[in-house]
Amino acid sequence: MTATATSVDEPEQLEPQAAPPSRGVRLARRYAPAAASALSGVLLYVSFPPRTLWWLALPAFAVFGWTLRGRTWKAGLGLGYLFGLGFLLPLLVWTGVEVGPGPWLALVAVEAVYVALVGAGITLVSRLPAWPVWAAAIWTAGEAARARAPFGGFPWGKIAFGQADGVFLPLAALGGTPVLGFAVVLCGFGLYEIVRQAVDGRRTGVVRRGAASVALLSMAVPVVGALAARSLVSDKAEDGTATVALIQGNVPRAGLEFNAQRRAVLDYHVRETERLAAEVEAGKVAQPDFVLWPENSSDIDPFANADARAVIDGAAKAIGAPISVGGVVERGGKLYNEQILWDPDKGPLDTYDKRQVQPFGEYLPLRSLLGAINKDWTTMVRQDFSRGTEPGVFTMAGTQVGLATCYEAAFDWAVRDTVTDGAQIISVPSNNATFDRSEMTYQQLAMSRIRAVEHSRTVTVPVTSGVSAVIMPDGKITQKTGMFVADSLVQKVPLRSSETPATRLGILPEMLLVLVAAGGLGWAVATAVRARRGSGA
């Protein structure tokens, strides 16, 4: 047997060494997650009204999931904050339209902290089985916290409010905004997990069936649930119909200065009501059963000013129907943002005082501290508005009309308890004149569309300067006005008294999802502790 030997003179063949990545490549790899997180936040913003690109929320959360999965909680804080900035900076730019960028930037900086905490939580649960479920529940828990604190909360930008045109909308009737938002976020994270499983399977040749099934279900269950929930959505009348009129009187000019022309605003709404009355008398328009004026349609207190009382009374007599008047009223030394039920024969019969007043807009938190820093800030809100305590439901020509004034439409409880208190339709009187032609009015209109489906009620939105609208119980807008024009809308609308599961369940779906989030975080922490002990760390 002959053995072969390698010659000592023959050079050894070495494997070629891969060139180290360039500095540009290293920087790109390092900062790609941060850039992707911020850009996915912007993508989420683009999915919101006035655009109808609701489906962009899914890839936005898919990319966000990619940036977070498998990272440390500290990285999750930073990436979550960037996602929050990318989303909230453009979404809330309208808050600085009249007061400058300071309040806008401060608001976004605070609200993005909640998203940062959510990001940290998602990194912790991202290694658990079925992680999209835990992650979506953590997002919902973050929204629940943001809707409550500080200063009574700020729910603007809830994921549900971007889905008025989407396939998931019927889920609002099933479990309200928490369930609708949870489904969208779960679907987005499920989309990323499907892609991740496909890439891993192609690279390793191994398909993990359990994980792949969970990923598919994360996308399929929300879609199937939304299709099944369509049976809960109806615009059929249950208690007959009512003919409602919305008055949009317009304002002398956009901006904060219009408050200095309070009489002009009142006169505009009186004039538009009288114009509508002339059309009714001429047979061009149906006689309304009742009329809805917007918030701040009379910033002159009609209980203290005989002239304001006289012109409102004249408008009610001219149209021959009760009017819900949005007034600013001082009573017992306190200021209230109030809706007043004004009867054409008996005058003012009932009132509703706004309960969720807007911080820094209708009252100034930390007034003494802010005054010590800058006295000009305290002049923006000279006197704080007081809060009402009872739900607002007016009986107008036999119809129970629930009232959620402007900012209150963003709060689940403020709309829901008008329905549980007997409302057959909902009115959201608003004043958006201070925000010019920004996206704010369209964002708020989308909220009202969600509320219509959530509680299966017609929702009317009378606004001082637009966009005023009539929304059917299925969320469809049947009439709307332009912006900064005087106009009126008259329509026969269905009256409904049945309650959706969302109305009956109230806060329970949100509480359940918060518990799911807490369970996922607890499991993740316990797993991490066991792993550390096992490794001797």
Side-chain angles (χ1 to χ4, degrees), residues 134-153:
W134 311 110
I138 288 172
W139 181 275
T140 304
E143 286 191 340
R146 196 159 64 86
R148 290 166 171 81
F151 313 127

Side-chain angles (χ1 to χ4, degrees), residues 228-422:
R230 290 175 67 180
S231 62
L232 301 173
V233 180
S234 173
D235 62 356
K236 297 287 191 296
E238 295 175 332
D239 305 314
T241 60
T243 300
V244 57
L246 281 63
I247 300 297
Q248 177 175 302
N250 203 8
V251 297
R253 60 177 179 264
L256 293 175
E257 295 83 0
F258 91 93
N259 280 316
Q261 304 173 57
R262 296 176 298 168
R263 179 54 194 262
V265 175
L266 173 58
D267 287 345
Y268 283 10
H269 285 82
V270 169
R271 185 185 308 162
E272 183 61 25
T273 304
E274 291 174 343
R275 187 195 66 79
L276 176 63
E279 290 196 340
V280 170
E281 187 174 1
K284 297 178 181 179
V285 180
Q287 168 67 46
D289 295 312
F290 52 90
V291 180
L292 303 172
W293 282 12
E295 177 188 35
N296 297 126
S297 46
S298 178
D299 278 352
I300 300 175
D301 185 349
F303 297 108
N305 187 292
D307 193 40
R309 183 186 182 106
V311 295
I312 295 171
D313 203 51
K317 284 180 166 58
I319 196 66
I323 303 176
S324 178
V325 177
V328 174
V329 173
E330 188 169 354
R331 187 168 55 250
K334 295 181 178 180
L335 202 61
Y336 293 94
N337 185 336
E338 189 166 86
Q339 287 290 310
I340 308 165
L341 173 55
W342 207 285
D343 186 83
D345 299 319
K346 301 176 182 178
L349 296 179
D350 199 359
T351 61
Y352 166 65
D353 298 324
K354 188 176 182 180
R355 293 169 294 161
Q356 190 70 41
V357 294
Q358 183 180 353
F360 304 100
E362 293 174 304
Y363 80 101
L364 196 63
L366 311 173
R367 180 180 288 273
S368 58
L369 175 62
L370 293 175
I373 298 172
N374 187 334
K375 289 184 179 180
D376 291 340
W377 291 349
T378 60
T379 62
M380 294 174 61
V381 185
R382 296 182 184 276
Q383 182 179 352
D384 292 341
F385 279 85
S386 297
R387 301 172 185 267
T389 57
E390 299 295 329
V393 180
F394 285 169
T395 302
M396 303 184 74
T399 298
Q400 300 296 104
V401 181
L403 300 164
T405 305
C406 196
Y407 184 57
E408 291 183 320
F411 293 83
D412 295 346
W413 62 268
V415 181
R416 181 172 57 242
D417 65 5
T418 67
V419 178
T420 57
D421 213 43

Side-chain angles (χ1 to χ4, degrees), residues 446-464:
M447 292 179 194
S448 296
R449 294 179 63 191
I450 301 297
R451 299 306 183 192
V453 174
E454 182 179 12
H455 300 293
S456 195
R457 294 292 188 274
T458 298
V459 175
T460 59
V461 187
V463 185
T464 50

Side-chain angles (χ1 to χ4, degrees), residues 154-290:
F154 188 74
W156 218 278
K158 290 180 78 169
I159 299 305
F161 296 150
Q163 297 295 310
D165 292 292
V167 70
F168 299 101
L169 177 60
L171 289 171
L174 182 64
T177 60
V179 168
L180 173 53
F182 171 79
V184 174
V185 179
L186 175 61
C187 216
F189 287 147
L191 174 62
Y192 161 62
E193 185 64 6
I194 288 173
V195 173
R196 190 180 75 86
Q197 291 293 333
V199 171
D200 284 353
R202 183 168 186 147
R203 178 173 54 84
T204 64
V206 177
V207 177
R208 295 187 298 157
R209 293 184 179 178
S213 297
V214 169
L216 288 169
L217 288 172
S218 295
M219 283 205 72
V221 169
V223 174
V224 172
L227 294 175
R230 290 175 67 180
S231 62
L232 301 173
V233 180
S234 173
D235 62 356
K236 297 287 191 296
E238 295 175 332
D239 305 314
T241 60
T243 300
V244 57
L246 281 63
I247 300 297
Q248 177 175 302
N250 203 8
V251 297
R253 60 177 179 264
L256 293 175
E257 295 83 0
F258 91 93
N259 280 316
Q261 304 173 57
R262 296 176 298 168
R263 179 54 194 262
V265 175
L266 173 58
D267 287 345
Y268 283 10
H269 285 82
V270 169
R271 185 185 308 162
E272 183 61 25
T273 304
E274 291 174 343
R275 187 195 66 79
L276 176 63
E279 290 196 340
V280 170
E281 187 174 1
K284 297 178 181 179
V285 180
Q287 168 67 46
D289 295 312
F290 52 90

